[in-house]
Structures are given as structure tokens and as C-alpha cells.
Amino acid sequence: MTDAQETAADTTLRTPGGDPPADVDSAPIPLLEPREGIPPVVADNDALAGVVAAFAAGTGPVAVDAERASGYRYGQRAYLVQLRREGAGSTLIDPVGCPDLSSLGEAIGDAEWVLHAATQDLPCLREIGMTPSRLFDTELAGRLAGFARVGLGAMVENVLGYALEKGHSAVDWSTRPLPDPWLRYAALDVELLVDLRDALEEELDRQGKLEWARQEFDAIASAPPAPPRKDPWRRTSGMHKVRRRRQMAVVRELWTARDAIAQRRDVSPGKVLGDAAIVEAALNMPPNAQALAALPGFGHRMSRKQLEQWQTAVDRARAIPDNELPQPGQPLTGPPPPRAWADKDPVAAARLSAARTAVSALAERLTMPQENLIAPDTVRRLCWEPPKSPTAEAVAEVLTAHGARVWQVEQVTPALVKALTEATA
């Protein structure tokens, strides 16, 4: 049993707001209702002003969560924001009625925000004016502490002994009005988040990893927004089947047309036209709408007008001059795929194999996933273009240049120096 697993079984960690379970070996206690009941949904500026005042007067960390309508609506905007703080209780805010939450963000901006899988929620929170200056990510904390299951439900159950009902995670949160069972679920998501944070902080401290976690949290909080993805159409599912440049142009034209329609209608692109249908059209290059209708994904209940709009996109791809067709693959900004290393540079392939083995062994000793110990891309870049002399100082410099945190550099540098030296010898 790992240290983290022992801690998860320790009754002293099971200290939520209510009474802890009497017997840690018994089944987890279902958490069925928020402590103060389901809070009313805040959907206008007057009610929001009251929430801002309450949370500004509250104390301690602020539990924050957001619900999106992925798979139903275009984009990743928030459709419900949940918060909880000592002295303020829980609140549910409708960002449709209150699209600017910058006043709330400012009111709690100096406090520590507690989120689960922070990188998923921060982009949509930033869109409505909420950006933390510091945070604690309970999912990442669980990874660093060595827990095998780091979903919120699993963490609350394993650490605090309570069972969260998770049946509404994939519903359409743009629905209005939101049903009470959904609101109850949303409120419960922040009910024990601060309690979980406190327990995980103790565990990280016990394992000597608390400073590591703080560096990770600071990196998340200070990271700039991700830049727009280049050529997002290349991520179409099934794209690996598309080999010819003209076919790639069909994918691009259909993807672009679908995205414009989805954005205009505010629906998920997959509800407009499936990826599989786009790939089928690219592979078959239908000459007209009738031929297009015979392909999977197009004929079933699709109107003539719709077929013609998709055929127009295919025809645009047909008309593109050869010298303007998209190039296969994307320009590489780093090393080639590892599978090609053995042919391109066998010595580099040996370095990478040795480095991966070293990182894997170290991650196992530290009871954490390899990708949290050091980013795989950073290891690849180091092995593809290593320093001339793989000293500790030189390797540490390369790791730092690629964004590794201080704790990561300290932990992995000796192992990587040894691996690079032995592989070169």
C-alpha cells in the first residue's frame, strides 16, 4: 500500500462539515443534500450584488466549479457557476443572466480558489471575468499524492468517506430552467471541495510534496490563455484515413462550413454534421448532391438544401488550385514522432529509451504519474537535442527552458543525466 493509499484509509482525513463516518470500513455515506439546501439561482445583477458582498465578507478558500454544455452548444462557455466559502455558504450563478462576473472575481481574487481539474474550468471562467491569483487543484493534488482514481467523486469517497451522486455530469446545462436535481448535483460539487483540499494538503505535506504542488498550482494560475489551435480541422476524427491533399481540402472545407453553421446556431458541431460523414465525403469525393446523399451520415433525414450546402463545400475543394492544397501533416515545431527515431537517429532513440525508463522508475518511486513528474514532450526534446556535455547544470538548463518547474528539475535531473550518459557511452 502506498503512502497515499494509507492516508486515504486514515479516519483522520474523513472530516467534512458534517459528522465523519463512524466506521471507515463501512460503505461511503451518500451525500444527498447541501448543508443549507439548494441555493436559489442568481440570475440578475441585484442578486449578484448580494452574492459579491457575502463572498467578500467570507473567510478562507473559495470552492469554485463551472458547468458547460459540451456536446450540446457551440464552444465551452459556462452555463452555471457554483461557489462556496466559509461565512457565505454556497451559491449558484447563471452566467446567461449574469454574463459579467468580474465584480465577484475581484471580490474573491485574493483568496485561494479551490477547483477540481482547474485547467478545464479556467477558460470558461476567464470569459466571464473570473481569474484566480492563486489556486489549489484537488485533482492535480490527488495525482501528485499517488491516488489511482482522481475524479471528484472518487476523491471525496476515498478521502472523506462520502459518496457524491454523479448522474448529471453530461446533461445539457444550457437548459432553462434547470431542474432541481441538476441544481442539487451542482451545489454538492462544491459542498466538500474545501474539506478535500485540506485533507490533500495534509497528505502532500506528509509525503514531502506540498511545495511541489504549490509550484504546479502557481504555474496553472499564471499560465496565459492558450492560443487558438492552428488548423483545427486536422483534428477531425478519422483524419488518419485521409491521405491525398485534395481529400484533405474537402475535410477542411466541410469542417469550416460546419463550424460556421454551428456557431451561428449555437449548437455543437457534431450535431450539425458528424466527423465520420466529413471523412466519408473526403474519401469518396462525390460529384453531386445525389451521390453525396448515398454516403453514410448524409442521406438520413437530410433535406435537399442541406445536401446542396455540403456539396458546395466539396465543390470548393475540387476547385482549389494544386499549389494551394493543404500539405499533409502539420509543420513540426519539435522532434519527429518517437516511432521514427530509430531510422532517423538510432543514438537519439537509445537516449530516449534510457530516459523514459529512468523517468518511469522515478515516478513509480514517487508514486505519481510520469506525465506529472515531467512532461513527455520535454523529455523528447532533451533527448533529440541534448547538451554537448550532459552535466547536471546543462540538463537542468534545458529542462527549465522547456517549462519544467524547479521541483521537477531537482527530481529528474540526476536520473536523466545518468540515462543520457549511459546511452551515449
Side-chain angles (χ1 to χ4, degrees):
M1 179 179 287
T2 66
D3 289 343
Q5 290 168 332
E6 289 174 358
T7 304
D10 186 350
T11 59
T12 60
L13 277 185
R14 301 172 184 261
T15 55
D19 294 331
D23 180 1
V24 298
D25 294 324
S26 64
I29 297 175
L31 196 62
L32 303 177
E33 196 75 21
R35 276 169 250 191
E36 299 92 13
I38 302 174
V41 177
V42 173
D44 60 63
N45 289 333
D46 290 341
L48 178 61
V51 168
V52 170
F55 274 78
T59 58
V62 182
V64 184
D65 191 22
E67 305 295 347
R68 300 175 297 279
S70 303
Y72 297 94
R73 295 289 183 175
Y74 185 86
Q76 295 295 318
R77 64 173 293 187
Y79 281 94
L80 189 70
V81 176
Q82 309 100 278
L83 301 97
R84 182 175 180 84
R85 192 180 195 185
E86 184 70 28
S90 295
T91 189
L92 304 176
I93 303 176
D94 178 3
V96 177
C98 300
D100 182 3
L101 300 186
S102 55
S103 58
L104 179 59
E106 292 168 4
I108 62 173
D110 292 336
E112 179 188 78
W113 294 24
V114 184
L115 302 101
H116 192 80
T119 54
Q120 294 183 20
D121 287 339
L122 288 179
C124 70
L125 290 170
R126 188 180 292 117
E127 286 182 358
I128 52 180
M130 297 184 66
T131 303
S133 58
R134 56 195 180 100
L135 60 83
F136 189 106
D137 186 331
T138 51
E139 184 200 48
L140 181 52
R143 291 181 183 276
L144 296 176
F147 285 90
R149 297 165 59 225
V150 293
L152 180 59
M155 293 295 292
V156 167
E157 181 175 327
N158 292 335
V159 177
L160 302 177
Y162 284 81
L164 292 177
E165 196 277 309
K166 301 299 291 180
H168 302 301
S169 59
V171 299
D172 181 2
W173 287 96
S174 68
T175 301
R176 292 297 182 272
L178 287 165
D180 279 354
W182 299 11
L183 296 175
R184 182 180 296 107
Y185 158 89
L188 288 174
D189 265 4
V190 293
E191 181 78 6
L192 297 178
L193 208 48
V194 173
D195 300 281
L196 180 60
R197 171 238 178 271
D198 293 344
L200 290 172
E201 182 179 62
E202 288 184 17
E203 171 61 5
L204 288 167
D205 190 34
R206 189 178 73 78
Q207 293 188 26
K209 298 175 180 176
L210 184 55
E211 175 56 28
W212 303 357
R214 286 173 175 159
Q215 291 181 31
E216 292 299 301
F217 301 156
D218 288 345
I220 294 173
S222 61
R229 190 182 298 276
K230 180 178 174 59
D231 291 346
W233 58 269
R234 292 184 184 271
R235 294 177 62 85
T236 302
S237 180
M239 188 69 189
H240 63 281
K241 302 175 185 177
V242 181
R243 304 292 186 184
R244 299 175 182 173
R245 294 174 62 196
R246 184 73 59 184
Q247 294 173 334
M248 292 178 186
V250 173
V251 173
R252 184 179 64 187
E253 294 301 321
L254 284 171
W255 189 98
T256 303
R258 179 185 70 174
D259 193 67
I261 294 169
Q263 186 171 11
R264 185 173 68 249
R265 291 170 48 189
D266 190 18
V267 297
S268 169
K271 289 187 175 296
V272 176
L273 186 67
D275 279 9
I278 290 177
V279 170
E280 284 292 330
L283 295 177
N284 288 275
M285 299 287 291
N288 52 53
Q290 183 178 357
L292 181 67
L295 298 178
F298 288 96
H300 183 59
R301 293 187 298 181
M302 189 171 285
S303 69
R304 181 71 184 181
K305 181 179 179 181
Q306 290 174 311
L307 286 170
E308 288 175 351
Q309 76 180 358
W310 300 129
Q311 184 61 42
T312 298
V314 174
D315 293 341
R316 281 198 302 270
R318 286 179 176 278
I320 296 174
D322 288 350
N323 62 348
E324 295 179 12
L325 291 172
Q327 295 294 329
Q330 292 175 289
L332 289 174
T333 58
R339 63 180 179 272
W341 285 30
D343 293 330
K344 291 178 178 292
D345 190 338
V347 176
R351 285 194 297 263
L352 181 61
S353 177
R356 283 174 162 176
T357 299
V359 169
S360 176
L362 180 58
E364 186 173 351
R365 288 200 299 275
L366 295 174
T367 62
M368 70 173 63
Q370 297 178 42
E371 63 270 19
N372 293 115
L373 175 58
I374 189 72
D377 182 65
T378 297
V379 176
R380 287 194 293 270
R381 289 173 185 269
L382 170 68
C383 293
W384 187 251
E385 294 183 346
K388 291 182 179 180
S389 177
T391 63
E393 293 76 12
V395 169
E397 184 177 350
V398 172
L399 297 178
T400 301
H402 289 304
R405 265 69 72 189
V406 172
W407 77 269
Q408 294 176 315
V409 173
E410 291 174 347
Q411 292 299 314
V412 304
T413 293
L416 289 175
V417 168
K418 185 173 184 290
L420 292 175
T421 302
E422 292 179 352
T424 301

